[in-house]
Amino acid sequence: MSFIRSAIDGQSEEFRRRYARNRALVAELRDRQHAARHQRPETDLRRLERQGKMLPRERLERLLDPGTPFLELSTLAAGLAYDGESPGASSITGIGIVSGREVMIHADDASIKGGAWYPLTVKKIVRALDIAIENRLPVVHLCDSAGGFLPRQSEVFPDKQMAGRIFRNQSILSRMGVKQLALVFGHCTAGGAYVPALSDYNVIVRGTGAVFLAGPPLVKAATGEIVGVDELGGADMHTSVSGTCDYPAASEAEAIAIGREIVARWDAPRKWIAAVDTPEPPAYDPDELYGILPDDIKKGFDMREVIARLVDGSRFHEYQPAYGPTLVCGFANLWGYRVGILANNGVLFNESTLKGAHFIELCNQNDTPLLFLQNITGYMVGRDYEAAGITKDGAKMIMAQSCSHVPKLTVMCNASFGAGNYGMCGRAYDARFLFSWPGHQIGVMGGEQAGRTLAEVKARQLARNGAAADPELLEAVIADTRRDYEIQTSSWYSTSEIWDDGMLDPVDTRNALGIALSAAANAPLERKGYGVFRF
């Protein structure tokens, strides 16, 4: 592999301006993450203390092996939803090491409305279990939830990807032989009762843990029966009478200790790939990424400079460097794992699209995981490009990417607009993991283009009705659309809606990708072939 020669001038005015802007974005990211993780009303904290409960992150710290990394997912989920009532979507999910095993962790956060599940809570848990299925990751559930948030029941219960999907995914994991452990620290109510019931193992804390389809108030309302929590679904009843739970624990600390013993007995996975070379850090300082990323979404930058600060030794074997240059393709190592990288260096033309499709096929031929680095405004449009078959060629790239059998990882580095998002493995295309950076934007198109498009449509409507277009009206359409798009295309909005698996500080990306590759190696590859390519 060739060493990437950086052309970055760290002393230039442009570098310093970009550096300052991106460091400010990362500082905002850190502030938002801290608030989502730790800022809670004092009354809720005192309530948990009175109940003798640890905070969710205290449980997590005791569960994880000391000194090991934890890749937290979707920290800022629901950050812009529900008037801020559900920071982190009232849950914690991520990949960590427990008793030497990689596991997916799902933890309810009872410091937020008793851990009740909001719609985005359900989406976050379903996504975590999807990742567990895709990567054959065992799951540890830290249960402490009041069940579905009833004022939003229509958004939580009925549809395919709502709460029932959690229990469906648990059942699929069990069929696959992927183990699950539930530690019941608090109430598992209504549908939430199935989380421990569908787990292979579960531990319940005496005095605070409870499992029931209906709590005492609903039982009384439905049947007139008056019954206490422990009698209805407490630790002693479930471990000695119903058999719903396996192990009683006198305290949360004991429950965690029992859980760690259980996980220690699980078989270690046989990974389909391993690091092929000794990992080494990039030759260039990842801190320089702050000065490389532009301070204007419309400005380009050389994605090779990003690659040089992510991959081992800053070495990169570029494929067809002189053909279709607006898409950079090539092979590199990342934490010792061989990867095939596709990175945008401009709009996708016919040549770059065909190059990308062929390169994806090569990676599938060699069982090489794919890494997509997005900064894309879309495929090239216009009469000449349509005549040359840009739609047909774009479909080839989408077909090759969609039907890939190798793991796919995606990082939203900057822009992600239009069908370019599709070809570059956007959210709809089953990337094993998809991360974003704070400055990225995503949408059908940019706000300015959308505003002018809608203004043109409005002008034509008026003309058909025999009315003249009012310039002030058209300008108002453009301004309103631009304002709405600024909100909806922002990275904060997309991560709040869980359109990614979490927002990363760019300098942390290499580590996150290393954990993701290690997790992806647990699932065996299944060659499935391709559909029909239109030539």
Side-chain angles (χ1 to χ4, degrees), residues 208-485:
T208 57
V211 177
F212 30 56
L213 295 181
L218 181 53
V219 168
K220 181 180 179 182
T223 70
E225 181 182 11
I226 299 175
V227 61
V229 169
D230 287 340
E231 181 185 1
L232 181 63
D236 290 328
M237 193 283 290
H238 276 312
T239 56
S240 64
V241 179
S242 77
T244 301
C245 297
D246 303 321
Y247 303 89
S251 67
E252 294 195 359
E254 183 182 9
I256 293 170
I258 294 171
R260 285 182 52 82
E261 288 180 9
I262 292 169
V263 175
R265 296 190 180 96
W266 293 350
D267 294 334
R270 297 178 182 177
K271 301 199 173 192
W272 69 270
I273 57 169
V276 295
D277 291 305
T278 302
E280 57 179 308
Y284 299 103
D285 188 352
D287 183 75
E288 294 174 339
L289 288 169
Y290 299 134
I292 294 168
L293 298 172
D295 49 2
D296 183 341
I297 199 72
K298 298 176 184 177
K299 291 183 179 178
F301 60 97
D302 189 350
M303 195 63 85
R304 295 176 187 85
E305 299 288 359
V306 172
I307 295 170
R309 288 153 181 86
L310 293 180
V311 303
D312 292 4
S314 301
R315 291 188 297 273
F316 183 56
H317 176 85
E318 187 166 352
Y319 174 73
Q320 290 190 324
Y323 180 71
T326 58
L327 183 67
V328 176
C329 300
F331 298 99
N333 287 349
L334 200 155
W335 280 104
Y337 292 96
R338 185 173 295 122
V339 295
I341 298 175
L342 294 91
N344 300 119
N345 254 16
V347 68
L348 288 166
F349 292 93
N350 296 75
E351 297 84 359
S352 46
T353 299
L354 292 171
K355 169 181 165 180
H358 189 69
F359 180 72
I360 290 169
E361 289 182 293
L362 295 178
C363 290
N364 277 267
Q365 182 186 63
N366 295 324
D367 290 341
T368 302
L370 291 162
L371 171 59
F372 295 85
L373 301 177
Q374 283 205 17
N375 178 34
I376 181 63
T377 56
Y379 292 93
M380 191 59 192
V381 298
R383 181 179 58 190
D384 291 343
Y385 297 100
E386 290 294 350
I390 187 64
T391 300
K392 183 173 64 174
D393 292 340
K396 293 186 181 76
M397 185 175 176
I398 290 173
M399 177 72 75
Q401 185 264 107
S402 298
C403 297
S404 291
H405 71 269
V406 297
K408 298 179 290 187
L409 310 177
T410 302
V411 180
M412 304 289 202
C413 300
N414 200 48
S416 181
F417 292 112
N421 169 277
Y422 300 162
M424 289 296 292
C425 196
R427 191 57 150 174
Y429 291 86
D430 296 328
R432 297 286 186 92
F433 297 88
L434 186 150
F435 301 109
S436 67
W437 286 352
H440 110 279
Q441 293 181 21
I442 183 169
V444 173
M445 61 185 71
E448 185 69 27
Q449 295 91 330
R452 296 197 177 281
T453 299
L454 291 176
E456 177 69 19
V457 170
K458 185 67 175 179
R460 291 182 180 180
Q461 288 176 340
L462 292 170
R464 283 198 300 269
N465 295 327
D470 180 354
E472 291 187 4
L473 172 63
L474 298 182
E475 283 302 318
V477 169
I478 293 172
D480 290 346
T481 304
R482 187 191 301 119
R483 182 174 58 253
D484 291 343
Y485 266 60

Side-chain angles (χ1 to χ4, degrees), residues 17-262:
R17 186 183 69 250
R18 292 180 173 187
Y19 188 94
R21 185 255 186 179
N22 287 303
R23 281 302 298 265
L25 282 174
V26 169
E28 182 178 0
L29 169 63
R30 298 296 186 199
D31 289 343
R32 291 182 183 231
Q33 287 177 330
H34 182 270
R37 289 167 175 162
H38 303 293
Q39 290 183 8
R40 301 289 184 271
E42 191 63 30
T43 53
D44 291 323
L45 298 178
R46 287 201 299 268
R47 171 176 52 81
L48 295 180
E49 185 179 3
R50 287 195 305 271
Q51 294 171 346
K53 291 182 176 181
M54 298 181 192
L55 294 174
R57 293 184 183 275
E58 292 174 336
R59 295 168 180 162
L60 185 62
E61 185 175 356
R62 287 192 179 226
L63 177 69
L64 296 170
D65 291 357
T68 59
F70 177 63
L71 178 59
E72 185 171 349
L73 304 174
S74 301
T75 308
L76 300 182
L80 300 183
Y82 319 127
D83 296 321
E85 290 182 356
S86 180
S90 308
S91 62
I92 305 166
T93 62
I95 297 171
I97 309 297
V98 177
S99 298
R101 276 84 174 154
E102 285 174 312
V103 300
M104 172 62 72
I105 294 170
H106 146 229
D108 298 316
D109 190 343
S111 69
I112 307 166
K113 295 190 180 295
W117 291 351
Y118 282 73
L120 285 170
T121 312
V122 171
K123 185 176 181 179
K124 183 172 177 177
I125 298 170
V126 168
R127 174 57 186 156
L129 296 180
D130 283 341
I131 291 172
I133 290 171
E134 293 164 350
N135 299 285
R136 305 299 196 272
L137 286 173
V139 182
V140 179
H141 304 273
L142 307 185
C143 303
D144 193 354
S145 172
F149 186 59
L150 295 181
R152 293 183 176 268
Q153 68 85 27
S154 65
E155 302 169 68
V156 170
F157 175 70
D159 210 350
K160 179 178 179 179
Q161 294 294 330
M162 293 183 182
R165 195 73 174 184
I166 296 172
F167 317 127
R168 176 266 186 191
N169 279 0
Q170 285 191 264
S171 302
I172 297 300
L173 285 165
S174 183
R175 183 183 69 185
M176 294 165 57
V178 180
K179 297 176 179 63
Q180 295 177 79
L181 163 68
L183 304 179
V184 181
F185 298 110
H187 289 188
C188 293
T189 307
Y194 291 113
V195 174
L198 287 167
S199 296
D200 303 283
Y201 307 84
N202 62 51
V203 184
I204 183 169
V205 178
R206 184 177 288 112
T208 57
V211 177
F212 30 56
L213 295 181
L218 181 53
V219 168
K220 181 180 179 182
T223 70
E225 181 182 11
I226 299 175
V227 61
V229 169
D230 287 340
E231 181 185 1
L232 181 63
D236 290 328
M237 193 283 290
H238 276 312
T239 56
S240 64
V241 179
S242 77
T244 301
C245 297
D246 303 321
Y247 303 89
S251 67
E252 294 195 359
E254 183 182 9
I256 293 170
I258 294 171
R260 285 182 52 82
E261 288 180 9
I262 292 169

Side-chain angles (χ1 to χ4, degrees), residues 6-23:
S6 176
I8 293 299
D9 178 6
Q11 301 304 314
S12 70
E13 179 182 348
E14 181 180 56
F15 182 93
R16 291 197 299 269
R17 186 183 69 250
R18 292 180 173 187
Y19 188 94
R21 185 255 186 179
N22 287 303
R23 281 302 298 265

